[in-house]
Amino acid sequence: MKDSAKKYFLKKSLYQPEDCSDVISCLSRNSEPPVAVVIPVKNEFPGIKDTLSSLSDSAGLSGINKLHVVCVVNCYASDSSDVKENNSEMISFLASCAYKGLYVSLIDRSSAGNELPEKEGVGLARKYGMDYALACGAELIACMDADTIVGKSYVSSLLAFTKNHGKRLFALLPFRHQKAASEKLQAAIDSYEEYMLLHSKKLRETGSPYWAPVLGPSLVATADGYVACGGMNKRAFGEDFYFLQSLEKLEIASGFFIKKEGFYEYSPCFLDAEVYPSARISDRVLFGTGPKVKELSEMEKIDCPVFPDDFYRVAKEFIEKKESCQNELAGFINKENFFSIWNRICTNNPYDEEKREIAFHIWFDGLKIIRAFHSLQK
C-alpha cells in the first residue's frame, strides 16, 4: 500500500481495509483491475432497479467477472416516514438482490440510529461509499446516481481507463438526460443542457482550465486521485463541483496544463461512454439539475441564458493581463486581495512562467470565477 493511501486511511477514511476482508477476498478473484461504482440512495425504490440493470448489462458486455457496486442508503432522522419506508424497502431489496456481473455492497445510513447528521448530505453519503470502495481495494471509483442509466460501453470504458490512464487522476463521462415525462419538462431539460454546454464553451474560451461541465454520475477518480485530493467532501449539495475542482487543481499542477501557441490549455480526460441522468424535478438540494429544471418548468417561457458575453470578456482579460488588467472586475480583484497574492506568486517563482501561471489558476479557480460573475451582476 502506498504511503499516501496509508495516511488517508489513518486520518480521513471512514473505513479501513480490515473492515472489508470478506469483500476483498471475493473481489480479489477477479482478473480485472478493481473498479467500484458508488451510488448514494435515498427514496429511490424501485427506480434503482433500472440503474442496476443497466450496470449489469454493461458489465456483461465488458467481460468483467464482478463490478463492485456500493449503495449507500441514507436519510436524516427528520425525513418523512414515506422516505424512511422507501429506504427500508430498498435495504431489504439490496440485501438480497443478485445481478449478473455485479457484486453489490450495502451501506445502511438510514435505519434508526444510523441516519446522516442533519447538516450533512449527499457529499457525506458519497464519501461513505467511496471510502468503503477504496478500503476494498478499488483502483478506480466511479460516482453514480440512483436514477441514472449507463451506456453499453460504460464498464468497458472504466476498465480501459484503469489500465491505461497514465498519470491522469480522474476522468469524465459525457452525459445526456433521459427523455422527460412531459413536453414542458423536456423543454426545461433541453434548455438547461444547452446552458451547461454553452457556458462550458465560453468559459473555455476565456483561458480558464475550469470549463468542463460536471454532474455527479459523470465523475470517475483513480484511487491515487481520490486520496491526493483528500477524498470526497461532505457537502450537502454541490459536492460534485468541489470534488471535480480539487481533482482539476491536482492535474493542473502536475503537468497537464500545456502551453500552445502562446496560451496555456488544460483538458480533462473524457471517456468513450455516456451516462443518462434522470430529467425529473427535484428539490432535494439547493442547486443543481433538479432544482434548476423545476425553476425552468414553472416559467411561462422557458429560458436558461448563460452569463452576458461581457462577463466572459472581462474574465479573459484578467486571465491574460493579470496585474495590469483594468476592467469591470477591478472591484472584485481588490476585494479578493489579488495584488498581494500575485506579488507573492511572482516572488516565489521569479524565473518560471509556467509555475506562475499554474499558481494563478489554482487561486482563480472555478468558484472564484462564478463569484466574480456574480459581482458583475450587482
Side-chain angles (χ1 to χ4, degrees):
M1 184 184 297
K2 294 182 179 180
D3 288 343
S4 56
K6 290 179 181 178
K7 290 179 181 178
Y8 183 80
F9 284 125
L10 181 64
K11 295 183 178 181
K12 296 186 176 182
S13 181
L14 299 175
Y15 292 96
Q16 302 298 317
E18 50 266 31
D19 300 326
C20 313
S21 56
D22 291 345
V23 178
I24 292 171
S25 176
C26 176
L27 295 176
S28 66
R29 293 193 288 271
N30 294 324
S31 58
E32 299 86 6
V35 174
V37 176
V38 174
I39 312 177
V41 186
K42 182 176 182 178
N43 199 26
E44 297 285 0
F45 188 78
I48 196 174
K49 291 181 179 181
D50 293 333
T51 300
L52 294 175
S53 292
S54 72
L55 286 168
S56 176
D57 290 345
S58 183
L61 291 172
S62 75
I64 192 173
N65 292 328
K66 291 290 183 183
L67 174 70
H68 192 195
V69 179
V70 183
C71 295
V72 185
V73 184
N74 66 95
C75 72
Y76 302 122
S78 61
D79 277 327
S80 69
S81 59
D82 287 345
V83 169
K84 293 177 181 178
E85 287 172 9
N86 186 281
N87 278 3
S88 180
E89 288 186 79
M90 177 70 73
I91 289 170
S92 296
F93 167 72
L94 292 174
S96 59
C97 73
Y99 284 85
K100 186 176 181 180
L102 305 185
Y103 183 98
V104 179
S105 291
L106 165 64
I107 297 177
D108 177 7
R109 300 299 307 179
S110 177
S111 298
N114 292 332
E115 303 95 339
L116 295 181
E118 294 289 334
K119 293 184 179 181
E120 308 291 0
V122 67
L124 179 57
R126 286 199 197 277
K127 178 174 172 60
Y128 269 109
M130 297 178 85
D131 281 4
Y132 185 81
L134 184 73
C136 289
E139 295 179 13
L140 189 71
I141 308 171
C143 294
M144 181 52 55
D145 286 345
D147 60 357
T148 296
I149 305 300
V150 304
K152 299 296 185 184
S153 60
Y154 176 80
V155 176
S156 295
S157 295
L158 296 184
L159 291 173
F161 182 65
T162 308
K163 296 172 184 176
N164 301 295
H165 61 72
K167 294 183 179 180
R168 305 290 320 217
L169 300 177
F170 74 99
L172 295 170
L173 289 137
F175 57 84
R176 285 187 293 128
H177 285 84
Q178 300 168 40
K179 186 176 180 179
S182 68
E183 289 186 9
K184 188 154 192 180
L185 193 56
Q186 186 63 52
I189 199 65
D190 288 345
S191 178
Y192 184 59
E193 280 193 354
E194 183 180 352
Y195 155 77
M196 292 184 75
L197 295 175
L198 185 55
H199 173 64
S200 172
K201 177 179 179 293
K202 289 178 176 290
L203 202 56
R204 188 174 190 178
E205 290 170 352
T206 69
S208 171
Y210 303 99
W211 55 267
V214 61
L215 294 177
S218 68
L219 263 168
V220 177
T222 66
D224 287 342
Y226 185 73
V227 167
C229 74
M232 175 57 73
N233 58 78
K234 300 179 182 180
R235 293 177 180 273
F237 50 86
E239 82 294 341
D240 47 4
F241 172 87
Y242 290 97
F243 186 54
L244 172 61
Q245 183 169 265
S246 296
L247 291 165
E248 286 174 325
K249 287 184 178 183
L250 288 170
E251 286 204 344
I252 290 166
S254 61
F256 292 99
F257 201 39
I258 301 170
K259 191 172 186 179
K260 294 181 180 179
E261 299 179 358
F263 296 95
Y264 286 89
E265 294 182 354
Y266 167 74
S267 292
C269 175
F270 286 91
L271 301 186
D272 187 22
E274 284 187 325
V275 293
Y276 308 102
S278 171
R280 68 185 182 182
I281 290 173
S282 171
D283 56 4
R284 190 174 297 171
V285 294
L286 294 182
F287 64 83
T289 303
K292 192 63 180 179
V293 171
K294 182 176 187 294
E295 175 191 333
L296 291 170
S297 66
E298 292 171 351
M299 292 180 176
E300 185 174 341
K301 181 180 179 182
I302 293 174
D303 185 27
C304 187
V306 296
F307 292 101
D309 286 344
D310 276 352
F311 287 21
Y312 299 96
R313 173 186 59 79
V314 297
K316 180 178 175 65
E317 288 179 359
F318 177 49
I319 288 170
E320 291 177 350
K321 297 180 180 180
K322 299 180 177 62
E323 79 279 11
S324 63
C325 178
Q326 297 182 355
N327 63 23
E328 295 90 329
L329 276 181
F332 176 81
I333 292 170
N334 286 328
K335 186 177 179 180
E336 295 294 317
N337 199 29
F338 167 70
F339 294 102
S340 174
I341 290 167
W342 180 245
N343 284 337
R344 186 161 64 248
I345 288 173
C346 292
T347 299
N348 292 338
N349 306 283
Y351 308 113
D352 196 321
E353 176 196 0
E354 180 178 336
K355 287 185 178 179
R356 290 196 299 272
E357 195 71 16
I358 288 171
F360 170 80
H361 284 289
I362 297 298
W363 178 81
F364 195 52
D365 59 19
L367 179 59
K368 274 203 177 65
I369 291 171
I370 295 299
R371 289 177 53 221
F373 284 1
H374 287 168
S375 76
L376 296 172
Q377 290 177 320
K378 296 178 180 178

